[in-house]
Amino acid sequence: MVFMAIMGILMALLVGVTPYIWRASKEAKAKANIEKINKALQEYMLANGSFPKPLEGDGEPVDLSVKVAGEFSSLTNWLEISTSNLVDPWGKGYMYTRVRPQSYTLN
């Protein structure tokens, strides 16, 4: 009987902590993806002299999960980034905005 009570308490603790563990795991994956994308963008800039320019022009956000064509297709080659890293753990694409040729934001 004591064993069952202890097991019940442990299971209740595990069920209560699980959402926090999942959230922390997703946040860690998102941070790792952003670091990979940032490294790829820096390598691209070093090789080409500027960050990739979207067809929409500077200042316009681009969803990297959708826009892996043209100049952006070469990003997947830098540091072996796969297209799955261009979508965050919540299923949204990372948004890239080139502010100037030497500056960008990533959300």
Side-chain angles (χ1 to χ4, degrees):
M1 189 63 123
V2 172
F3 174 75
M4 294 299 285
I6 291 172
M7 289 303 292
I9 292 170
L10 290 176
M11 290 300 289
L13 290 173
L14 181 63
V15 169
V17 173
T18 302
Y20 298 107
I21 293 171
W22 281 108
R23 187 181 73 211
S25 171
K26 286 183 176 185
E27 288 174 358
K29 183 176 180 183
K31 286 178 185 178
N33 286 347
I34 289 172
E35 286 179 17
K36 286 181 182 179
I37 295 169
N38 280 329
K39 285 181 183 178
L41 287 167
Q42 294 298 324
E43 290 289 328
Y44 183 96
M45 200 276 268
L46 288 173
N48 297 295
S50 68
F51 292 110
K53 181 178 182 183
L55 294 175
E56 295 82 357
D58 288 345
E60 293 297 319
V62 174
D63 185 344
L64 290 179
S65 65
V66 175
K67 201 72 154 184
V68 190
E71 230 178 322
F72 290 95
S73 63
S74 59
L75 283 180
T76 57
N77 297 332
W78 296 105
L79 299 176
E80 300 175 2
I81 286 184
S82 68
T83 54
S84 65
N85 289 336
L86 300 176
V87 178
D88 71 16
W90 297 273
K92 299 178 187 173
Y94 292 103
M95 300 300 289
Y96 164 81
T97 306
R98 186 174 98 157
V99 181
R100 298 183 300 276
Q102 306 298 322
S103 176
Y104 71 94
T105 61
L106 187 63
N107 301 332

